């Protein structure tokens, strides 16, 4: 071993995502395989501050690869945003003999990790765990594929009733400020349009859809709306159509937190397993303040700065595929 890491702490933070447990299992077992002790930190950074820390053996992560959510629980810690909170967190790392951290989460998790690593010179590796897929430097995040499949299953069901009643449905999906879930689920479900924050204003996108698409050749339509202030959300768009086109029978479904639950897909389990092993390899290789990503099926290291700050580009080809196929 090049770098003397005898004990790591592992935590999950921010919104949970399917596959986080598979990641915790992988990190734990890869560490133990390499002779490194593992301390599980409960409730994210909050648990690091309040010392909710338990040593894990291999059997502590048995039978969790298929479970959604996170056995470590998760939280968004306001206290960790303060220097005083981070001081308590560091003191507990020292008390528990934790030399390095593996943090599983999204944007907020890595922002906290970056500051903490700078302040206390702590080696930290991040695994991208979020359904939003909004982290730069990785083709996919842990949980995105499962959430996509959950959305597809729900939209297929809505399609049945939309077409029976000849209705226009606005279906709102999660994604925070990113349209990956919305755009790809719209393609996968043969929807008529996706209204996403990355493209134009909500007004433009809705106008285009009404003018070009709806009711030309179809009796029912489904429009996927990405949650975001930029899109206005499904309710706002539906309200506008109700006013401007009272002839349309409009309904709204907001899929909500159902998108975050459920057993992870095979893809997410494998991704989480690979990334967990890569995180321990990276630590032993003296890597610090990086997120493990995957690009073209190859594991990559992405500095926290880049993963957080760079806007992940949306593939224009996908926008065009949706437009062409929703004739
Ligand atoms: O980042 C994951 C996510 O599910 C977003 O898609 C969504 O905007 C947010 O978390 C919801 O957070 P909460 O669980 O706090 O409502």
């Amino acid at each position: 071993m090049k770098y003397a890491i005898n004990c790591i702490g592992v935590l999950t933070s921010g919104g949970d995502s399917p596959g986080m447990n598979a990641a915790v299992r992988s990190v734990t077992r890869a560490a133990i395989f390499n002779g490194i002790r593992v301390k599980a930190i409960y409730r994210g950074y909050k648990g690091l501050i309040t010392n909710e820390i338990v040593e894990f053996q291999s059997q502590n992560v048995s039978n969790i690869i298929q479970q959604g959510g996170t056995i470590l629980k998760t939280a968004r810690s306001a206290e960790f945003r303060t220097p005083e909170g981070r001081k308590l967190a560091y003191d507990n790392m020292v008390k528990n003999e934790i030399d390095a951290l593996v943090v599983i989460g999204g944007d907020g998790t890595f922002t906290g990790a970056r500051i903490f690593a700078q302040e206390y010179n702590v080696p930290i590796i991040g695994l991208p765990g979020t359904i939003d897929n909004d982290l730069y430097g990785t083709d996919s995040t842990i949980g995105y594929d499962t959430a996509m499949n959950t959305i597809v299953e729900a939209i297929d069901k809505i399609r049945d009733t939309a077409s029976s009643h000849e209705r226009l449905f606005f279906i709102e999906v999660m994604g925070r400020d990113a349209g990956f879930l919305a755009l790809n689920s719209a393609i996968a479900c043969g929807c008529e349009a996706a209204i996403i924050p990355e493209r134009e204003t909500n007004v433009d996108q809705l106008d285009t859809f009404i003018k070009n698409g709806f009711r030309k050749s179809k009796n029912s339509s489904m429009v996927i709306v990405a949650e975001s202030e930029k899109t206005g959300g499904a309710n706002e768009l539906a309200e506008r159509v109700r006013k401007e086109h009272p002839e349309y029978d409009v309904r709204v479904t907001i899929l909500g937190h159902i998108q975050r639950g459920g057993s992870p897909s095979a893809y997410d389990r494998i991704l989480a397993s690979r990334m967990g092993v890569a995180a321990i390899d990276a630590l032993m290789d003296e890597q610090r303040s990086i997120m493990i990503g995957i690009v073209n099926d190859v594991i990559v290291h992405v500095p926290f700065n880049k993963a957080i700050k760079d806007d992940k580009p949306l593939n224009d080809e996908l926008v065009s595929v949706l437009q062409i196929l929703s004739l």
Side-chain angles (χ1 to χ4, degrees):
M1 204 193 302
K2 286 193 216 154
Y3 186 77
I5 289 178
N6 300 311
C7 178
I8 60 149
V10 59
L11 60 83
T12 52
S13 161
D16 62 346
S17 70
M20 277 186 162
N21 282 328
V24 170
R25 170 181 179 269
S26 174
V27 169
T28 302
R29 294 217 167 143
I32 291 171
F33 178 86
N34 286 288
I36 298 171
R37 290 166 68 202
V38 178
K39 302 271 173 100
I41 300 158
Y42 284 84
R43 296 179 180 80
Y45 295 122
K46 190 167 173 241
L48 194 54
I49 292 170
T50 54
N51 203 20
E52 290 184 77
I53 300 173
V54 172
E55 180 143 8
F56 262 19
Q57 309 300 337
S58 180
Q59 56 270 29
N60 288 102
V61 292
S62 294
N63 205 17
I64 64 166
I65 194 168
Q66 78 284 11
Q67 288 174 28
T70 163
I71 60 159
L72 297 186
K73 312 293 178 196
T74 187
R76 294 187 176 102
S77 169
E79 214 182 340
F80 194 69
R81 290 198 200 109
T82 66
E84 295 76 22
R86 292 194 292 277
K87 166 85 173 62
L88 289 171
Y90 181 70
D91 289 347
N92 281 326
M93 274 189 74
V94 174
K95 202 190 293 170
N96 287 278
E97 299 175 334
I98 296 172
D99 305 312
L101 292 177
V102 177
V103 298
I104 307 165
D107 203 68
T109 306
F110 299 159
T111 305
R114 193 176 60 86
I115 299 168
F116 191 49
Q118 260 171 8
E119 272 177 354
Y120 291 99
N121 199 21
V122 174
I124 308 184
I125 305 291
L127 297 191
T130 165
I131 64 164
D132 301 336
N133 201 27
D134 58 349
L135 292 163
Y136 181 88
T138 187
D139 289 344
S140 195
T141 53
I142 298 165
Y144 171 65
D145 181 69
T146 307
M148 178 69 67
N149 283 298
T150 303
I151 293 170
V152 165
E153 203 183 323
I155 296 176
D156 284 349
K157 289 182 173 141
I158 297 170
R159 170 74 80 188
D160 292 341
T161 176
S163 107
S164 303
H165 284 266
E166 303 183 289
R167 281 173 170 159
L168 166 58
F169 262 87
F170 287 95
I171 301 161
E172 186 175 300
V173 300
M174 281 184 170
R176 214 163 40 139
D177 289 318
F180 296 97
L181 284 170
L183 179 58
N184 284 295
S185 60
I187 294 174
C189 297
C191 295
E192 279 59 41
I195 298 193
I196 51 178
E198 291 87 346
R199 287 286 177 281
E200 306 158 37
T201 63
N202 57 347
V203 176
D204 292 339
Q205 289 181 77
L206 186 64
D207 270 352
T208 313
F209 163 67
I210 295 284
K211 278 190 203 122
N212 299 345
F214 188 55
R215 285 287 151 104
K216 265 197 177 157
S217 59
K218 293 171 183 172
N219 288 327
S220 71
S221 268
M222 293 203 298
V223 177
I224 310 303
V225 184
E227 64 165 5
S228 163
E229 274 177 20
K230 289 185 191 157
T231 63
N235 275 320
E236 195 179 304
L237 295 174
E239 221 24 69
R240 226 192 93 199
V241 174
R242 281 192 188 108
K243 272 193 201 123
E244 292 171 17
H245 298 276
E247 69 278 19
Y248 299 157
D249 194 7
V250 179
R251 291 290 186 277
V252 172
T253 302
I254 294 174
L255 290 183
H257 288 79
I258 194 171
Q259 296 164 93
R260 286 231 299 255
S263 178
S265 66
Y267 180 87
D268 277 331
R269 296 180 198 194
I270 295 164
L271 183 67
S273 300
R274 289 178 70 183
M275 287 180 161
V277 171
I280 299 303
D281 280 350
L283 273 178
M284 292 191 308
D285 249 0
E286 301 183 36
Q287 298 283 332
R288 293 160 169 243
S289 295
I290 52 142
M291 176 191 86
I292 303 293
I294 191 153
V295 175
N296 296 330
D297 205 34
V298 175
I299 292 287
V300 293
H301 295 170
V302 189
F304 280 149
N305 274 350
K306 276 188 98 58
I308 301 161
K309 285 201 183 129
D310 286 2
D311 269 345
K312 185 171 178 175
L314 203 76
N315 187 346
D316 284 335
E317 181 218 334
L318 296 173
V319 176
S320 141
V321 166
L322 179 63
Q323 266 165 8
I324 293 168
L325 300 183
S326 60
L327 270 181

